[in-house]
Each structure stands twice: as C-alpha cells, then as structure tokens.
Amino acid sequence: MAKVLVVTSGKGGVGKTTSTAALGAALAQQGQKVVVVDFDVGLRNLDLIMGAERRVVFDLINVAQGVAKLSQALIRDKRLESLWLLPASQTRDKDALTDEGVRDIIADLRTKFDWVICDSPAGIERGATLAMRYADEAVIVANPEVSSVRDADRIVGMLDSKTVKAEKGEQLKKHVLITRYDTGRAARGEMLNIDDILEILAIPLLGIIPESQDVLKASNVGSPVTLNNAASMPAKAYIEAARRLTGETVAMVVPSEQRKGFMGRLLGRRAA
Amino acid sequence: MSMNLLNLLRRRTGSAPVARERLQILLAHERGLRSQPDLLDVLRAEILAVVSRHVVLDPEKVIVRMDRGKSVSTLEVDIELPNGFDKRMAVAS
C-alpha cells in the first residue's frame, strides 16, 4: 500500500527540500521504492539537491498536461536503484498545475511506488495546497525559532482542513521534524527547546536534525545528506526518522554537540 | 573578553522562555481565529442590520472588534450615530 507524504512548513528556508531528499534516500536505502516529487513550480531545487539537475528533460507540468508520459519524466537516481525524482518545471508559472492534474499523477505514482514524497513550496498559496492535497501523512519541518513555529502551526490548520483526507473526515497523520537544532544553545535557554516546540504544536516528533556543516556539504555536491555521509550526525538523525516513518519504534536521541573546551566555547560564542 | 564574561553570567536567563511565551499567546489567538474566520464579519453584518431597522446610520461607522485575553475576551461594538438621527427616523416613518 503506497503512502503519499508531504514535506511542508509554511516558512521558507527551514529545510523542506533537504529533508525530502534525505528522507527519500534513507527510505530507498531501507529497500523501499521511493519517488520524490518537486512541487515548487518555477523555483525547482530538488533536482539540484539530488544532483540530477542536468538530467531533467520533462517535468511535472509536462506530465500533468499530457505532453509527456510519467515514465519519460521520472529520473532514476544514479546511486540508488529504488530512488526516483519527478522534477518541477523551472519555466512555467505555478498556475499551470491543476487539482485534477495533480490528482491523476499522484494516483499513477501510487501504483508504482511504496512512497510518494511531495516537496512543498514555501507559503500557503496554491502550490503548497496542491502539494498537500492528496497526502496520507505530513512531515512539518520547523526550526527552533518563533516565526517557523508559528508558520508550522498555520500549516497544521491547513492540513486539517484543505486536504482530501481531512475533507473526508479522516485523520491525516502529522509529524514534526525539527531541523537546525543546536542542543547547546537550547540548553542555555538561547533557543526554543524540543519540549517547548512539541508542547506548542502538539504534534508527535519524527526526529531532531542537528545544525551541521554536513548538510551544506551534501547540497554542494548534489547528494542527499544520508547518502553523502551516512555516518554524520544529521544523516543518522534522518535515517532514524525514516525508520520511524515505516512504523519502527526508534528511541529518540537528542543530538549532542561535540564537547568544546572552555576556550573553544568562549571563542565559539563570539562567532555565534 | 569582558562581553564574553558577561554572557557567561547571563547564561541562565536566555531569551527562549520569552519566545515560548510569545508563541503560546499568539497561537492561542490565531487558532481561535482559524476556527471562526468570518465570525466578526457575520457579527458586524447582523448588528448593522438590526440597528439599521431603527436608526439611519453610515455602515462605515460600525466597528466590531474582538479582543482575546488569557481568561476573558471582549467584544467591542462601536457605532457612531449622526446628530439628529431620531428626528430623521421620525420623518421616514
């Protein structure tokens, strides 16, 4: 039974695309057949994060409008056999996507994959509502920061009212994924901590992704962080989050920063 | 260096508790609005209809405002009436 998962946040720049790529690759590594779908029409980036930007021929809009077949637009990952990408259009405007078009593509993808992961554009406009429209589950990506948490709450309201599942009166499963978390700063009261965010949003936690240079390194070379350096802290956290998505119970570990010496902390503080 | 020492002394009073409290208050308010997005519009239209039956007034001068507090919320209705409105009604009827 295929699952359609939307990765959303409301706010931009919190790590939706990074998380889509990392979770998609982690699920594929666990033997699941996965497609990651870029819904950010006009500002596509998932192709770049996946390292497939030079292989894009057809896109989501072409398929929605019948210009290309789904099989022509799907790009297979070069590293993982069971990981595929459906890119967004870079040139068309976002109104080219229709509800019916998305419905048909998602229905088609459901027959071919175990996981359909929809990377939502930022905002609460048409692109974001279409990305979540046919989802069974949602991952809400949030940073430990007030505007991100507020927008996440707004998105929760939309997931509970504007999705097909919600309209049918069914429960859409929601998870919060906290990214760019700095355990040290949270412990010092400089940053919202996990308990604060969970209490405010009242949604179960999928994972805690630490702030890390490994995320930027992976995007620089066009590789999901879970593939680029599977032993890194963020990769481990994403891999565990992916296991939770498949229903496994994995103990939640709050990522701890590497201990710095006293002087290192003094100097590090200045940089921060 | 002195700044760093100051920061060290201040470490137990971070800004996160303020963030948390601001968010809790704001979201309680926004969630209320979400469940009844057009409540104020409906109230305004109905209040306007009732008052207009008895008094001639400018619809622009009817202001309905809701203030949500932690324990008590208030509904403020501000209707500005033109001078001599009762005489005008008498002529009309």
Side-chain angles (χ1 to χ4, degrees):
Chain A
M1 188 53 187
K3 267 197 185 142
V4 179
L5 180 76
V6 60
V7 177
T8 183
S9 69
K11 191 175 183 302
V14 297
K16 284 182 295 296
T17 302
T18 300
S19 298
T20 301
L23 290 173
L27 285 167
Q29 279 171 303
Q30 289 163 29
Q32 311 267 327
K33 196 173 177 199
V34 181
V35 60
V36 288
V37 185
D38 193 346
F39 271 83
D40 205 345
V41 175
L43 283 172
R44 74 166 176 228
N45 274 319
L46 187 55
D47 56 334
L48 199 52
I49 299 300
M50 299 284 291
E53 70 276 11
R54 290 162 61 143
R55 299 169 63 206
V56 175
V57 183
F58 295 111
D59 57 54
L60 186 66
I61 305 280
N62 296 144
V63 180
Q65 297 184 335
V67 175
K69 283 189 224 148
L70 186 58
S71 57
Q72 292 176 295
L74 285 169
I75 302 167
R76 184 181 228 149
D77 189 83
K78 285 197 162 162
R79 297 147 298 209
L80 285 173
E81 277 242 307
S82 62
L83 179 61
W84 298 73
L85 164 71
L86 181 56
S89 165
Q90 179 69 333
T91 50
R92 308 297 295 270
D93 74 285
K94 56 186 187 305
D95 295 329
L97 215 52
T98 63
D99 191 326
E100 295 73 28
V102 172
R103 182 194 62 203
D104 295 347
I105 290 174
I106 297 282
D108 203 352
L109 290 172
R110 272 182 193 275
T111 66
K112 297 179 168 69
F113 294 93
D114 299 319
W115 288 89
V116 180
I117 308 183
C118 305
D119 183 20
S120 173
I124 53 170
E125 311 287 315
R126 189 183 169 77
T129 51
L130 280 177
M132 69 170 65
R133 183 87 186 127
Y134 296 94
D136 304 313
E137 289 189 30
V139 170
I140 298 137
V141 182
N143 290 166
E145 180 270 325
V146 285
S147 60
S148 175
V149 175
R150 179 199 208 173
D151 292 359
D153 193 70
R154 185 86 189 272
I155 284 292
V156 169
M158 291 177 64
L159 287 164
D160 287 339
S161 61
K162 303 212 163 170
T163 54
V164 169
K165 229 175 159 121
E167 283 172 5
K168 279 199 239 163
E170 294 171 27
Q171 195 65 39
L172 182 138
K173 204 167 168 187
K174 300 179 289 281
H175 319 261
V176 60
L177 182 68
I178 300 170
T179 57
R180 308 200 69 164
Y181 192 68
D182 186 326
T183 306
R185 297 191 75 187
R188 291 192 292 272
E190 297 167 8
M191 181 184 262
L192 287 169
N193 65 37
I194 300 293
D195 291 340
D196 290 341
I197 299 170
L198 294 184
E199 192 194 323
I200 291 167
L201 291 179
I203 291 173
L205 179 64
L206 182 67
I208 308 160
I209 314 300
E211 170 82 67
S212 165
Q213 297 179 356
D214 290 293
V215 173
L216 182 60
K217 275 187 205 158
S219 82
N220 283 343
V221 298
S223 171
V225 67
T226 41
L227 284 183
N228 195 50
N229 182 2
S232 66
M233 295 282 287
K236 281 185 186 163
Y238 275 121
I239 289 165
E240 287 179 2
R243 285 169 57 196
R244 291 185 193 105
L245 279 177
T246 62
E248 243 185 275
T249 310
V250 185
M252 192 71 67
V253 181
V254 179
S256 58
E257 60 179 8
Q258 281 166 341
R259 298 298 304 173
K260 288 181 192 159
F262 179 67
M263 280 312 288
R265 282 170 64 181
L266 285 184
L267 296 171
R269 204 179 291 266
R270 183 180 291 162
Chain B
M1 190 63 201
S2 63
M3 274 305 285
N4 283 327
L5 278 175
L6 256 178
N7 282 340
L8 273 180
L9 291 173
R10 261 194 227 139
R11 68 195 286 187
R12 276 194 189 81
T13 55
S15 51
V18 181
R20 174 199 161 100
E21 201 189 321
R22 287 177 62 219
L23 268 173
Q24 279 172 330
I25 293 169
L26 176 71
L27 293 186
H29 172 73
E30 288 186 345
R31 284 171 187 158
L33 292 181
R34 197 191 292 153
S35 56
Q36 294 174 306
D38 49 2
L39 174 65
L40 281 189
D41 282 342
V42 172
L43 281 175
R44 193 179 168 280
E46 292 191 8
I47 290 168
L48 181 62
V50 169
V51 181
S52 299
R53 253 186 260 148
H54 308 282
V55 177
V56 176
L57 49 78
D58 179 357
E60 297 288 306
K61 299 281 169 68
V62 178
I63 297 162
V64 178
R65 204 169 12 226
M66 175 109 46
D67 231 330
R68 280 171 210 267
K70 250 184 180 168
S71 49
V72 179
S73 297
T74 58
L75 180 70
E76 185 186 332
V77 182
D78 185 349
I79 303 175
E80 193 182 308
L81 297 176
N83 279 337
F85 64 91
D86 43 351
K87 286 175 203 143
R88 271 200 266 165
M89 277 312 274
V91 174
S93 60

